[in-house]
Amino acid sequence: MGEVIPFVSKAERERIRLIREARAMYDSVFPPAAPSEQNRNASTIQVINGGELLS
């Protein structure tokens, strides 16, 4: 039939935007680690947030 598009509330979209903005500021002060360590950290973040990757 068609693709199901999940509803995302305005509050949830704002929360995600603020997290991305904070992460960008953090990364500007503390540059990301080597790529191999980034991949390991991304997996941890994905599990903690229920599969939602925020980077």
Side-chain angles (χ1 to χ4, degrees), residues 17-31:
R17 184 188 69 79
L18 290 171
I19 289 170
R20 286 184 179 151
E21 187 177 310
R23 179 164 303 198
M25 284 189 273
Y26 182 88
D27 285 346
S28 71
V29 175
F30 304 103

Side-chain angles (χ1 to χ4, degrees), residues 2-47:
E3 184 179 340
V4 176
I5 300 172
F7 174 77
V8 180
S9 69
K10 187 174 181 179
E12 182 67 13
R13 288 193 318 261
E14 179 69 2
R15 183 185 79 80
I16 292 169
R17 184 188 69 79
L18 290 171
I19 289 170
R20 286 184 179 151
E21 187 177 310
R23 179 164 303 198
M25 284 189 273
Y26 182 88
D27 285 346
S28 71
V29 175
F30 304 103
S36 62
E37 190 168 323
Q38 279 182 331
N39 291 340
R40 187 187 61 172
N41 291 339
S43 299
T44 303
I45 291 169
Q46 202 167 14
V47 170

